[in-house]
Amino acid sequence: MHAALQIKSLKTARALAMFIFIFLPLWTLLVMGREEGGVGSEEGVGKQCHPSLPPRCPSRSPSDQPWTHPDQSQLFADLSQEELTAVMSFLTQKLGPDLVDARQAQPSDNCVFSVELQLPPKAAALAHLDRGSPPPAREALAIVFFGGQPQPNVTELVVGPLPQPSYMRDVTVEHHGGPLPYHRCPVLLLESLDIDQMIFDRELPQAAGVLHHCCSYKQGGRNLVILTTAPCGVQSGDRATWFGLYYNISGARIYLHPVGLELLIHHKALDPAQWTIQKVFFQGHYYKSLAQLEEQFEAGQVNVVVIPDNGTGWLT
Ligand SMILES: *[C@@H]1O[C@H](CO)[C@@H](O)[C@H](O)[C@H]1NC(C)=O
Ligand SMILES: *[C@@H]1O[C@H](CO)[C@@H](O)[C@H](O)[C@H]1NC(C)=O
Ligand SMILES: *[C@@H]1O[C@H](CO)[C@@H](O)[C@H](O)[C@H]1NC(C)=O
């Protein structure tokens, strides 16, 4: 009885704590948002100051309110378009002509993956905010993929001072305790297109018979699509991803229509021509390759389930 009561009061206390931690800050934010919105302009104030809602009207002038001070918020403001452009042209100039636009980059190219604000060191930020010291230099953090060198890597560069950068500093080891191996970079746009091409142009034709039987496959037809899965491996150093095949049914979500075929693609090599299929999963069984699946199908050893090429087939 006593224990039950304790548990009950514990639960109540937890619920209360949750309320305080989750809802109060949200409520405060909402109210602050309203006030900030209101103090932005005289017109806004006029609209917000409805006689029935007096507590929401700002009672002080904008400059009294620390969180709306433009100079201070500038310290943590995202990079502006001009600053992003300045960083990109600085990097282009420093990293040489090998830099390729990220949308067009092959794994074997150098490209800038991202540029964002590098937050100032806390001590320098506080010295400025609390004690009026000069503001710390505004800096950007750029993540660069160096695929076009004998030992490819991922590098983090701090670029500053903005808006006219004159220096860049390699902070990879400082941030990660060592070099960042290249296989850790996310799949690039062109890389995913190359995987698509590899599957449809090079691999699926090797199992044309069984795929035609189960899934109305025709070479060059577009009734099948691939969907990626995560993660890209099971241990450090892997860059191998399972792709599932689905019917491309217009107007319906393709992930509702798997055909029971999945391919494990090994895509760590920088040259797509060297990528391979490590394993094939077809309707409950594993195969070494699509060629082996086709061989066993032709020998009558594969029990194929025919999947209707129309999503409604599953429901009716
Ligand atoms: C990664 O490559 C860049 C560009 O070549 C180089 O400056 C940097 O030293 C390399 N990082 C490591 C840890 O080798
Ligand atoms: C899916 O099918 C539509 C036509 O229904 C076609 O336009 C589209 O290219 C196909 N998508 C893929 C990835 O093949
Ligand atoms: C699926 O079958 C129904 C009924 O036969 C037909 O009306 C519909 O057009 C088909 N849908 C597709 C995507 O083939």
Side-chain angles (χ1 to χ4, degrees), residues 127 201 253 315:
D201 296 354
R253 287 291 174 196
L315 302 172

Side-chain angles (χ1 to χ4, degrees), residues 9 11 24 65 72 97-98 106 113 150-152 170 174 205 237 243 254 258 275 284 289:
S9 64
K11 277 188 180 164
L24 276 191
Q65 297 184 2
Q72 291 183 331
D98 293 343
Q106 296 279 356
F113 173 66
Q151 286 202 319
D170 188 335
E174 193 182 306
F243 287 85
I254 57 172
W275 294 345
S289 63

Side-chain angles (χ1 to χ4, degrees), residues 91-102 104-106 108-112 144-150:
L91 287 174
T92 310
Q93 182 198 328
K94 287 284 166 191
L95 301 177
D98 293 343
L99 209 56
V100 174
D101 184 299
Q104 259 108 56
Q106 296 279 356
S108 55
D109 288 328
N110 299 344
C111 71
V112 177
V144 185
F145 297 165
F146 285 106
Q149 59 188 31

Side-chain angles (χ1 to χ4, degrees), residues 180-257:
L180 275 182
Y182 194 62
H183 61 254
R184 290 203 200 150
C185 71
V187 174
L188 298 166
L189 177 64
L190 266 198
E191 187 177 3
S192 65
L193 296 179
D194 282 340
I195 290 172
D196 193 271
Q197 199 174 7
M198 165 193 177
I199 289 176
F200 285 99
D201 296 354
R202 196 180 92 192
E203 296 297 334
L204 292 191
Q206 298 179 41
V210 60
L211 294 180
H212 178 71
H213 186 65
C214 74
C215 328
S216 319
Y217 168 79
K218 279 188 214 71
Q219 198 170 336
R222 293 308 273 175
N223 75 322
L224 295 173
V225 290
I226 53 169
L227 261 193
T228 183
T229 61
C232 287
V234 292
Q235 61 188 10
S236 182
D238 282 359
R239 196 171 176 83
T241 314
W242 281 101
F243 287 85
L245 279 105
Y246 297 72
Y247 278 135
N248 172 18
I249 293 175
S250 70
R253 287 291 174 196
I254 57 172
Y255 47 74
L256 291 176
H257 306 285

